[in-house]
Amino acid sequence: MFASRTNWRLDPNRFTRALEEHRRSGKQLLDLTVSNPTDCGFEYPEREILSALSDSRSLAYRPESKGFREAREAVAAYYSGRIGFVISGKASNRESIDPDRILLTSGTSEAYSHIFRLLCEPGDEVLVASPSYPLFEFLADLADVRLVPYTLQYDHGWQMDFGSLCAALTRRSRAVLIVHPNNPTGSFVKPREAAELVEICSSRDMAIIADEVFLDYPLDRSRRKRLRFPMGRSRSR
Ligand SMILES: Cc1ncc(COP(=O)(O)O)c(C=O)c1O
C-alpha cells in the first residue's frame, strides 16, 4: 500500500534498546548527543518570543511563499555584515544580504526537502560527510535522492578527505553537503577546505549545501565564522 521509499527498518537496534533499558532503570544518563538548543541551558529573550505569539497580526491569514517579508528582513539584518555573506556583483563592497534571496522554512528538514527538489532529478546524487547527521539518509530517501558518503578523517582534528570525495563523484553528482560545525564531530570546515571545495564544485557545476545550524553556539567564540563562498558563479547544466 505504501511507497517503497519509506520502507525503512525501524526496529530498535542494540544501542537504542540499551539506552531504553538504562532510562527505565532510572540511572543517571549523561547524553552527549543532545542537539536541541532549547534543552542545553542557553538564554533566550523569552518575553519577546512569547509576546510575539500574542500579536494580533498573527491572526490574519497572509500567505507569502518565501515567508513574511518582515521576518526575512529581520533575518537579513541579523546576518548582515557577518563574514561569509557577500553578494557579488554589487557596487558597494559592504557585506549585505538581500531579503529576496532568503526563503524561510519551518525547520532545516523542510529546507533540505526544497533544496534536494531544486537541485536533483530522481536518482541524482548528493555527497555527504561520514560521520555526519544521520537524518540525511531519511531526508534524501523522501526526495528520491541518493546520498553518497565522503570521509572525514581524524588527524590532529577532523579533516575532509578530498581523495574520497573526488572518488565518490559521478556524472549524477549534483551537490556536496557540508555541516559547519558538523554533527556529531563538532568540527569546522577550514577556509582552505572551503576553497578546495569551491574549485571542485564550480568546475563541475555542482552546488555546495552548507548547513550552519549550530554556528551560533560555538564553545570557542573565535571559531564562529561563516564560510565564505563566492556567489552567483553557477553555469547552466
Ligand atoms: C546537522 C543538522 N542540521 C539540522 C538539524 C535540525 O533540523 P530541524 O531544523 O529540521 O529540526 C540538526 C539537528 O540535530 C542537525 O544536526
Side-chain angles (χ1 to χ4, degrees):
M1 173 182 171
F2 297 123
S4 58
R5 74 168 74 78
T6 49
N7 193 15
W8 297 308
R9 271 195 67 184
L10 296 176
D11 41 320
N13 61 17
R14 271 176 54 215
F15 176 76
T16 313
R17 284 200 302 272
L19 184 63
E20 278 164 5
E21 178 62 41
H22 193 92
R23 287 207 166 106
R24 260 197 308 274
S25 72
K27 286 190 218 148
Q28 199 194 4
L29 178 74
L30 182 60
D31 185 351
L32 298 178
T33 67
V34 178
S35 58
N36 178 345
T38 61
D39 282 345
C40 294
F42 296 104
E43 284 176 11
Y44 290 95
E46 288 172 16
R47 197 151 358 122
E48 284 89 333
I49 293 173
L50 290 175
S51 74
L53 298 175
S54 59
D55 188 326
S56 61
R57 284 176 302 173
S58 314
L59 295 173
Y61 177 54
R62 197 158 49 96
E64 278 186 54
S65 55
K66 284 184 178 175
F68 286 153
R69 176 91 204 170
E70 305 92 289
R72 285 185 283 120
E73 281 169 356
V75 174
Y78 179 79
Y79 287 113
S80 186
R82 294 188 188 200
I83 191 150
F85 285 92
V86 188
I87 308 299
S88 60
K90 286 219 162 164
S92 140
N93 57 15
R94 225 195 60 214
E95 296 184 357
S96 64
I97 302 155
D98 180 356
D100 281 333
R101 298 188 69 156
I102 293 177
L103 195 146
L104 299 179
T105 60
S106 63
T108 321
S109 299
E110 188 191 338
Y112 277 116
S113 147
H114 290 317
I115 197 89
F116 288 155
R117 288 286 179 200
L118 183 71
L119 297 172
C120 300
E121 304 291 346
D124 277 352
E125 296 167 359
V126 171
L127 278 69
V128 63
S130 172
S132 196
Y133 182 41
L135 197 64
F136 290 141
E137 288 172 34
F138 299 93
L139 298 172
D141 280 351
L142 289 173
D144 297 324
V145 164
R146 226 171 77 76
L147 277 194
V148 182
Y150 64 89
T151 313
L152 293 185
Q153 273 183 341
Y154 194 78
D155 179 14
H156 298 87
W158 291 93
Q159 324 282 343
M160 290 174 70
D161 176 351
F162 280 96
S164 94
L165 190 146
C166 290
L169 293 169
T170 73
R171 49 173 199 88
R172 301 220 58 174
S173 310
R174 297 296 304 133
V176 177
L177 206 164
I178 52 175
V179 183
H180 174 79
N182 189 33
N183 176 8
T185 60
S187 53
F188 290 76
V189 177
K190 294 153 198 71
R192 64 171 167 74
E193 293 176 325
E196 190 163 350
L197 198 58
V198 167
E199 273 311 306
I200 294 170
C201 290
S202 54
S203 69
R204 294 178 151 255
D205 200 23
M206 278 172 26
I208 297 172
I209 304 172
D211 179 337
E212 297 190 333
V213 75
F214 299 117
L215 194 61
D216 284 340
Y217 308 104
L219 281 176
D220 171 1
R221 292 204 147 256
S222 65
R223 306 201 68 178
R224 185 175 150 169
K225 290 201 170 66
R226 280 173 201 281
L227 289 167
R228 182 185 282 270
F229 293 121
M231 298 172 83
R233 285 175 61 176
S234 112
R235 287 175 281 126
S236 56
R237 268 180 114 177

